[in-house]
Amino acid sequence: MDWQALKLSAELALVTLLILLPAGIVVGRWLAVTHTRFKPWLQAALALPLVLPPTVLGFYVLVLVGGQSFIGRWFEPVFGQTLAFSFAGLVVASVIFNIPFAIQPIERAFEAISPDIRDVATCCGMTPLRSFWRIEFPLAWPGILSASVMTFAHTMGEFGVVLMVGGSIPGETKTVAISIYDRVQAFDYAAAGQMSLLLLVISLLTIVIGYGYTEKIARRRRTAR
Amino acid sequence: MTLSVRVTHAAPFLDLDMEMPEHAIVAVLGPSGSGKTTTLRAIAGLLTPDSGRVTLEGRVWFDSSRRINIPARRRPIGWVPQNYALFPHLTAQANVESALLDRPSGQRAAIAQKVLAQLHVGGLERRYPHQLSGGQQQRVAVARALAREPRVLLLDEPFSAVDRSTRRRLQAELKRLHEDIRTTMVLVTHDLEEASVLASHLVLLHHGRVLQAGRPAEVEHAPVSVAAAKLLDIQNIREAVFEPMDGMPGLRWGPYRLSCSPPSRAIEPGRAVSWCINAGHIVLHRTDRPSRWGSENPVDCVVDEVLVLGDEAQVWLRPLALPNERLLMKISEHLAQRNRILRSGAVRVSLLSSAVQPLPE
């Protein structure tokens, strides 16, 4: 069992979630209420990671953060290491790859709130911020939770993009999914099986807990109608 | 006059010029898509019109020329949308307290309980919206809208989501509440009966424009245009020539000379004009005893069709001298039976001159 790789995967999933969740709430809420004519383009761009092969996405991320890129050239002297093939590079890749998993459930949740609810909150004297925290956020909570679960679980198991951008440096970029791949390449099926089972259980539990709680709230709301 | 709305807006289209009396229940009546809800939204500040002014007793809420636009949250209004929009994750009391966030926290609960009790939903404070009936939800929504002591209460079809008996009860309660608090209420509806029962001022809206406004009885009795007459469900709308008789207003309808109400604005003699008469104001000359209206615009007719709907008989008549025209008369089923009103039978009716209304617009 490669505990180091498992710990790295969990760290990557947590950092990705911490970055994507606030951004997802802001962008998802904005997309839910905006009437801009560019909305279909924006939605399509944010959904791209769902349809692009991980290698294509990984390649572009590598170009984006590589030593020849603007970001890569700025990052290296400031932090004393390259962005590609580092944990920070993995975070960038993971954030980009998880955008649709974070934003889409949140956008749907905010879309489901009737405009009448927002109007009433305004007419009750609430500022937009107060209306958001007291009314919209609690109502969109199941979608936000669902987005968190999907982002976390998806990052825990991500393989292609991580391999392209991070390689397989133990303690730095070698996540549990890559460790399983390495064990299989080395014909160590016992270790690969153990880690696969553990990853399966963690992913399943995460999703079951998330879905269970979301369903509980949805059931309460269904009765409300 | 207290609430003045003079605004134009392109989409959805509005071209409004309306004044609403203080402390009144104002009914804004119109078909679907006539701009009723948009009108309320413009008053509330939820829609910013392209141009115009909205004022309450001289206090400007919106003035495009002076770039004044008081945000909805600062306007002294209460808003009750069509589906009530109670916050589903909050109890009835917390819903009402949501409108009191600018008050000290120690006062909110007491105010909320007082308003809920006033709306006859005291005791339901801890219930969530899904635990309330449609009528109770409506009361909580009104309580929430009233908690801030608004100057104007805006209600968007507030009785459309409840059954008939609950609607009647809630209408009576709203009327009683209005007598207590005297807040100006603007009520949007497409139900003429509801508007007549509740309102002391009626505004007819069509395609974003005010067709007519005034006291409900006056508007219903004297529509000024064909569109207004249609909106008031007057089915007898016909064409005639305006022809005063002995200085009194009159119409030449085929061979008939009809005396009529004075038109709402001057019409040149000899001009073709539409006119209307409410089906309830065509009076049957009874066979059992003469009517005191017998001399008013008598018309001999043949009964074309009799339709009995509950206690009411709808009788379609063809005037003998104008067989291509039809007039609808509504009488009680009992009266129709007693006078043997049958298809193809002959009857004489009077078109009450006070109800014969020229439609100059």
Side-chain angles (χ1 to χ4, degrees):
Chain A
M1 174 64 71
D2 189 346
W3 293 108
Q4 191 183 43
L6 187 69
K7 182 169 165 271
L8 190 76
S9 284
E11 281 172 5
L12 180 64
L14 271 176
V15 173
T16 303
L17 188 60
L18 285 175
I19 294 170
L20 261 186
L21 201 59
I25 291 172
V26 172
V27 176
R29 200 272 180 187
W30 179 75
L31 279 172
V33 298
T34 185
H35 298 294
T36 172
R37 61 198 163 107
F38 301 113
K39 187 171 171 176
W41 286 95
L42 289 168
Q43 286 173 317
L46 294 173
L48 264 184
L50 286 177
V51 292
L52 277 180
T55 45
V56 173
L57 196 72
F59 172 74
Y60 281 119
V61 174
L62 206 52
V63 170
L64 182 75
V65 303
Q68 301 304 310
S69 72
F70 171 77
I71 298 172
R73 271 180 292 167
W74 166 82
F75 189 87
E76 195 172 344
V78 174
F79 293 97
Q81 65 172 104
T82 58
L83 190 52
F85 305 104
S86 70
F87 183 76
L90 274 197
V91 170
V92 172
S94 183
V95 164
I96 293 173
F97 194 64
N98 278 291
I99 282 174
F101 295 93
I103 289 180
Q104 286 186 350
I106 294 175
E107 184 187 341
R108 300 286 167 265
F110 280 108
E111 267 174 358
I113 298 172
S114 158
D116 281 337
I117 292 270
R118 293 191 182 96
D119 287 347
V120 167
T122 303
C123 293
C124 281
M126 293 188 206
T127 60
L129 195 64
R130 189 175 251 182
S131 165
F132 177 82
W133 283 116
R134 294 190 77 104
I135 308 299
E136 289 190 50
F137 187 84
L139 292 177
W141 174 239
I144 295 167
L145 185 71
S146 177
S148 309
V149 166
M150 291 307 292
T151 304
F152 185 86
H154 190 246
T155 313
M156 282 295 291
E158 174 44 27
F159 175 72
V161 176
V162 169
L163 186 66
M164 288 285 285
V165 178
S168 178
I169 306 165
E172 183 69 25
T173 63
K174 189 177 179 181
T175 61
V176 70
I178 290 167
S179 183
I180 291 168
Y181 177 74
D182 282 354
R183 290 297 87 217
V184 171
Q185 292 295 305
F187 301 106
D188 185 359
Y189 291 125
Q194 277 180 356
M195 282 189 281
S196 295
L197 183 65
L198 188 64
L199 197 57
L200 177 79
V201 170
I202 290 172
S203 300
L204 189 66
L205 276 179
T206 310
I207 295 176
V208 165
I209 291 167
Y211 278 13
Y213 186 64
T214 307
E215 176 58 23
K216 192 176 155 190
I217 298 171
R219 206 165 37 236
R220 207 186 304 155
R221 300 260 165 89
R222 270 200 298 276
T223 336
R225 285 188 286 271
Chain B
M1 290 291 174
T2 173
L3 182 60
S4 165
V5 182
R6 290 191 176 87
V7 294
T8 58
H9 194 64
F13 179 77
L14 275 187
D15 185 5
L16 293 177
D17 184 351
M18 55 203 268
E19 301 258 322
M20 302 179 215
E22 192 178 8
H23 305 312
I25 297 183
V26 179
V28 180
L29 179 76
S32 297
S34 58
K36 303 186 297 288
T37 302
T38 311
T39 301
L40 282 200
R41 293 177 62 80
I43 296 171
L46 295 169
L47 171 104
T48 305
D50 293 341
S51 64
R53 266 168 72 89
V54 179
T55 58
L56 177 74
E57 287 172 358
R59 185 162 295 183
V60 179
W61 287 359
F62 174 75
D63 188 339
S64 56
S65 63
R66 290 159 61 195
R67 294 177 180 273
I68 296 173
N69 188 12
I70 307 292
R73 67 174 189 276
R74 295 217 190 101
R75 296 190 188 188
I77 50 122
W79 174 259
V80 182
Q82 196 171 353
N83 58 9
Y84 315 138
L86 291 177
F87 305 133
H89 60 299
L90 300 178
T91 61
Q93 173 147 342
N95 261 277
V96 178
E97 286 184 29
S98 298
L100 298 165
L101 297 177
D102 51 352
R103 303 283 184 93
S105 55
Q107 294 177 8
R108 290 177 203 159
I111 297 171
Q113 281 165 11
K114 189 181 146 204
V115 186
L116 284 167
Q118 193 176 15
L119 269 294
H120 310 292
V121 275
L124 305 179
E125 291 90 347
R126 288 171 184 273
R127 293 209 190 163
Y128 285 88
H130 70 272
Q131 296 168 319
L132 301 169
S133 69
Q136 289 167 339
Q137 288 185 17
Q138 197 244 28
R139 291 186 188 103
V140 173
V142 174
R144 181 179 60 185
L146 285 176
R148 300 175 77 207
E149 297 178 355
R151 302 288 308 278
V152 181
L153 182 63
L154 303 167
L155 304 122
D156 189 1
E157 305 207 21
F159 308 109
S160 61
V162 289
D163 59 71
R164 193 182 165 87
S165 64
T166 309
R167 188 179 310 158
R168 287 275 155 86
R169 208 169 55 244
L170 291 174
Q171 285 171 348
E173 281 180 17
L174 189 74
K175 192 94 179 176
R176 251 180 248 128
L177 179 73
H178 180 256
E179 280 165 15
D180 284 349
I181 61 175
R182 308 295 296 160
T183 303
T184 305
M185 295 182 180
V186 184
L187 169 94
V188 150
T189 179
H190 58 259
D191 183 344
L192 175 62
E193 193 189 332
E194 186 172 288
S196 308
V197 167
L198 285 174
S200 53
H201 187 82
L202 178 64
V203 178
L204 299 184
L205 207 64
H206 194 54
H207 292 320
R209 288 197 170 94
V210 175
L211 290 177
Q212 197 173 344
R215 296 179 65 80
E218 287 168 11
V219 173
E220 283 177 51
H221 191 71
V224 297
S225 63
V226 173
K230 283 182 178 168
L231 203 53
L232 293 164
D233 199 26
I234 297 175
Q235 280 153 305
N236 297 315
I237 301 172
R238 299 288 175 265
E239 299 295 320
V241 174
F242 189 70
E243 223 173 64
M245 294 177 289
D246 305 324
M248 302 298 285
L251 297 165
R252 183 161 52 75
W253 183 43
Y256 298 105
R257 299 291 299 268
L258 306 177
S259 56
C260 65
S261 294
S264 59
R265 64 179 171 81
I267 306 174
E268 283 173 41
R271 208 193 102 182
V273 68
S274 297
W275 65 277
C276 71
I277 183 165
N278 195 307
H281 292 135
I282 297 180
V283 180
L284 181 69
H285 286 213
R286 292 169 61 166
T287 51
D288 52 346
R289 61 185 161 96
S291 157
R292 67 188 169 97
W293 297 289
S295 60
E296 273 188 55
N297 298 330
V299 179
D300 288 312
C301 301
V302 173
V303 176
D304 196 43
E305 187 184 354
V306 181
L307 206 61
V308 176
L309 297 172
D311 294 340
E312 184 184 81
Q314 296 193 354
V315 185
W316 285 95
L317 306 167
R318 285 193 187 279
L320 282 181
L322 278 173
N324 291 329
E325 297 275 12
R326 293 212 317 168
L327 288 173
L328 174 67
M329 172 176 72
K330 287 182 183 172
I331 54 175
S332 70
E333 193 247 346
H334 166 74
L335 189 64
Q337 271 196 357
R338 182 185 283 185
N339 287 273
R340 295 186 195 85
I341 305 293
L342 299 168
R343 192 172 179 179
S344 303
V347 291
R348 172 173 279 198
V349 296
S350 269
L351 311 185
L352 298 183
S353 52
S354 61
V356 174
Q357 190 65 42
L359 305 169
E361 290 174 28

